[in-house]
Amino acid sequence: MTYRHFFVIVALLLSITASSQVVSSITVDKDSTGIGEEIMIFYKLTFPFEGNLLSLDMSEVDSMYSLVSTNPQSDTINTGYFAEIELTDIDDHSAIPVNPSLIVSTGGAKKVYTDTLSAVIWDFGVFSLPHPRPIFSDPVSFAPDIVRLESPRIRVYPPALTSPIDTNQVILPIVPIIKEGRSIEDYLWLFLVIGGFVLASLVAWIVSKKKRSTREKVVIKAKRPGHVIALEKLNELEKEKLWQAGRIKEYQSRLTHIIREYLENRFNIQALESTTDEIIMALRQNALDKDNEQTLVEILQIADLVKFAKAKPPVDIHAAFLKKAEAFVDCTKETAQEFHNETSENG
């Protein structure tokens, strides 16, 4: 074998090894923050095309070790000091589901997954943020080498106007409580209660008198089905062409508001003020099928990424998600008999 053949074989082996590697990259939006302040974590994973990524394991963030001393009077690292970190809207750090729509192909033998997570650290110090561990569908036959790029370091400082506690000072003795005599201010609550009762009685008397004196007929406006209202608003949103004009955040906010309003009208849940996870848990009690549940999760998660993480999804996803929203409303709308029964019970 000649040297030329030897180098060709080595190059082929290196290319095969590189194609089977998984490269993990993690960055943050700022390198210092205060306790309780939100930080954004940007995660990118490049892996072979044949890999099927299922979830991420970020349980290692629960044991981020402080890289510097947490005691201002000491130059040594405190033994066993770990940071308490909370990933926003994620209860189980060991199994973070992967959104398939965030996985794109590079056109070759690789696929790239990018995601944005938000977190809050509740201890001060300097911490090295660990990489998530990717979980693939077939870990036995698909066991790639994982290359983790440098982990970002985050400095967490205590709240302003606070100073370290000096534990060397002498504890003063406990002194007896000094009792003061009662004054009219001690009975102020009683006057407020009596005044409130008198005011409420006066308002009730006025309202009752007004009802007795009026003979106007009350016209009850017929209730319209929730899916009819939602489809009309989705049609209006499509005509406004907001995302075509670059108003993507406003478009996604309007889209999710319409869907959340429809969920409140259709399933009688508090969807406008709830998180995506809380909405899904409430809908599962209403026997929502898996396909419609997955469609709803995709619509709400993409909108959250656009509004809070300032993500820029593909251009064609806006029109597609509007159609998905219309299909979701049409598939989950109440029947004529259900609507009749509901209006009969309410009126």
Side-chain angles (χ1 to χ4, degrees):
M1 178 186 298
T2 63
Y3 285 108
R4 184 175 183 179
H5 293 159
F6 175 76
F7 286 121
V8 170
I9 293 173
V10 171
L12 289 174
L13 291 176
L14 290 176
S15 63
I16 294 174
T17 302
S19 64
S20 65
Q21 282 184 340
V22 174
V23 180
S24 175
S25 171
I26 184 169
T27 57
V28 291
D29 62 338
K30 50 189 174 183
D31 57 6
S32 62
T33 184
I35 288 181
E37 294 182 5
E38 189 176 59
I39 61 172
M40 306 306 298
I41 302 173
F42 306 106
Y43 178 63
K44 178 179 179 182
L45 185 73
T46 304
F47 56 96
F49 190 82
E50 65 272 15
N52 185 17
L53 182 63
L54 294 181
S55 61
L56 301 176
D57 181 359
M58 288 198 68
S59 56
E60 292 187 11
V61 301
D62 295 328
S63 58
M64 290 197 310
Y65 193 78
S66 179
L67 301 178
V68 298
S69 172
T70 57
N71 184 354
Q73 307 298 328
S74 174
D75 295 330
T76 60
I77 299 177
N78 289 350
T79 303
Y81 182 80
F82 299 98
E84 181 181 350
I85 183 170
E86 174 187 351
L87 295 177
T88 308
D89 296 334
I90 296 176
D91 297 327
D92 187 3
H93 292 182
S94 63
I96 302 175
V98 168
N99 187 351
S101 63
L102 301 180
I103 300 177
V104 298
S105 174
T106 60
K110 294 283 186 179
K111 288 191 288 190
V112 177
Y113 171 75
T114 56
D115 201 353
T116 302
L117 305 171
S118 57
V120 175
I121 301 177
W122 298 103
D123 295 280
F124 63 89
V126 178
F127 306 96
S128 179
L129 188 64
H131 286 247
R133 184 172 65 89
I135 307 299
F136 293 93
S137 60
D138 188 4
V140 176
S141 60
F142 183 74
D145 297 327
I146 300 178
V147 177
R148 293 177 174 83
L149 302 184
E150 184 177 1
S151 299
R153 293 188 176 184
I154 305 173
R155 176 180 177 269
V156 184
Y157 49 84
L161 303 178
T162 60
S163 58
I165 300 176
D166 187 359
T167 58
N168 295 322
Q169 291 185 0
V170 178
I171 299 177
L172 298 178
I174 299 176
V175 297
I177 299 175
I178 301 176
K179 296 182 179 181
E180 61 177 4
R182 292 186 177 273
S183 64
I184 192 172
E185 294 180 357
D186 296 324
Y187 300 97
L188 182 61
W189 64 273
L190 181 60
F191 294 112
L192 293 176
V193 171
I194 295 175
F197 179 79
V198 172
L199 180 61
S201 301
L202 180 61
V203 171
W205 178 78
I206 294 174
V207 172
S208 177
K209 183 178 180 180
K210 185 176 181 180
K211 285 184 177 180
R212 288 195 300 267
S213 62
T214 182
R215 296 288 184 252
E216 296 180 357
K217 294 182 179 180
V218 178
V219 179
I220 302 176
K221 185 177 180 181
K223 181 182 177 182
R224 300 174 66 205
H227 68 273
V228 174
I229 299 173
L231 291 174
E232 287 178 358
K233 291 185 176 182
L234 289 172
N235 186 43
E236 292 175 1
L237 179 62
E238 183 178 17
K239 291 179 180 179
E240 291 180 16
K241 299 183 180 299
L242 295 178
W243 66 267
Q244 293 93 330
R247 296 155 63 184
I248 296 175
K249 183 176 181 180
E250 181 182 353
Y251 173 85
Q252 290 291 344
S253 297
R254 289 270 301 279
L255 178 61
T256 54
H257 183 83
I258 294 172
I259 293 298
R260 288 172 180 265
E261 186 180 62
Y262 165 72
L263 294 174
E264 286 204 353
N265 295 334
R266 172 65 179 90
F267 298 102
N268 195 26
I269 63 174
Q270 295 181 351
L272 289 173
E273 303 298 330
S274 300
T275 64
T276 299
D277 292 338
E278 291 171 344
I279 292 174
I280 295 302
M281 290 180 63
L283 289 177
R284 285 175 179 170
Q285 299 178 1
N286 289 270
L288 184 69
D289 62 79
K290 291 295 183 180
D291 292 337
N292 287 324
E293 177 181 324
Q294 181 62 31
T295 300
L296 180 62
V297 169
E298 291 178 1
I299 294 173
L300 296 180
Q301 283 185 345
I302 289 296
D304 289 343
L305 289 173
V306 173
K307 290 187 294 183
F308 303 115
K310 299 181 180 179
K312 293 184 178 179
V315 175
D316 57 349
I317 204 172
H318 304 296
F321 271 38
L322 181 64
K323 297 300 180 185
K324 285 188 176 184
E326 291 175 344
F328 174 82
V329 172
D330 189 67
C331 289
T332 58
K333 66 183 179 182
E334 58 188 351
T335 63
Q337 184 62 38
E338 290 175 338
F339 180 75
H340 176 72
N341 294 338
E342 181 182 353
T343 52
S344 298
E345 292 175 358
N346 296 334

